[in-house]
Amino acid sequence: MVKFPYINTLRDSFAVTFSNVLLFVPIILVILFNVALIPFTLEITPANGFSVKAVLLLIVFAMFSGFITFISYGWLYALVKRIVEKKKLKLYETFFEGLPLAWKYIKIGLLVMLYFFGISIITMVLVGLLSLIPVVGVVLLGIILFGEAVLFFV
């Protein structure tokens, strides 16, 4: 019979999670904030067509949603830290304890976003240049697209 060494860890983590319902507060608040932002994106539909306003609205929505999510992650880890240290859970204090960690997440998220943006720009330029070469360009385009798919999805 196969023995799973992590079963006890999972059982303990579920027990701690469901015995401390305050751990759900940051997650529920993120869901509520994101739902509250939905009405601002209702005018973005295929029937309206492409508009700069719609694209900017989506970018702002995504960045604000990501910002709120990163803050909640910092807050959640501060709550878990308090549980591990067997201290009393206080939402207000743990929120401010989690802000430095949230700031780290925000910086990492911005770096990753810039990295993918840079890779996309480089790929677009290469594809544009390679389209000038008839047969070799198509082969190299396939190689580049395969490489980008591997880079982004693996």
Side-chain angles (χ1 to χ4, degrees):
M1 184 166 164
V2 178
K3 189 174 184 181
F4 296 104
Y6 299 109
I7 293 295
N8 291 334
T9 305
L10 285 173
R11 189 179 312 118
D12 293 343
S13 67
F14 280 117
V16 168
T17 300
F18 290 109
S19 66
N20 297 296
V21 292
L22 289 179
L23 288 175
F24 294 103
V25 170
I27 299 164
I28 291 170
L29 285 177
V30 166
I31 292 169
L32 291 176
F33 277 124
N34 286 334
V35 167
L37 291 175
I38 289 175
F40 297 108
T41 62
L42 289 179
E43 68 182 49
I44 304 170
T45 62
N48 291 344
F50 175 79
S51 72
V52 175
K53 180 182 176 186
V55 171
L56 290 177
L57 201 59
L58 278 176
I59 290 171
V60 169
F61 176 78
M63 289 181 71
F64 190 69
S65 177
F67 182 74
I68 297 279
T69 303
F70 289 143
I71 288 175
S72 75
Y73 286 163
W75 191 8
L76 186 63
Y77 285 123
L79 284 167
V80 170
K81 181 180 175 188
R82 286 259 178 136
I83 290 171
V84 169
E85 294 174 348
K86 300 193 186 310
K87 294 181 180 177
K88 187 175 180 182
L89 291 182
K90 295 180 182 177
L91 287 176
Y92 185 76
E93 290 177 8
T94 54
F95 176 78
F96 290 106
E97 287 175 13
L99 285 180
L101 183 58
W103 179 241
K104 288 178 186 175
Y105 285 145
I106 290 168
K107 290 190 291 189
I108 290 170
L110 287 173
L111 283 175
V112 168
M113 184 180 69
L114 287 174
Y115 172 75
F116 283 121
F117 181 73
I119 292 292
S120 297
I121 294 295
I122 290 169
T123 304
M124 284 191 295
V125 169
L126 282 176
V127 167
L129 291 174
L130 292 176
S131 66
L132 299 173
I133 308 169
V135 175
V136 178
V138 172
V139 172
L140 291 176
L141 172 65
I143 293 170
I144 287 174
L145 291 177
F146 177 76
E148 188 172 321
V150 168
L151 178 68
F152 286 151
F153 300 113
V154 174

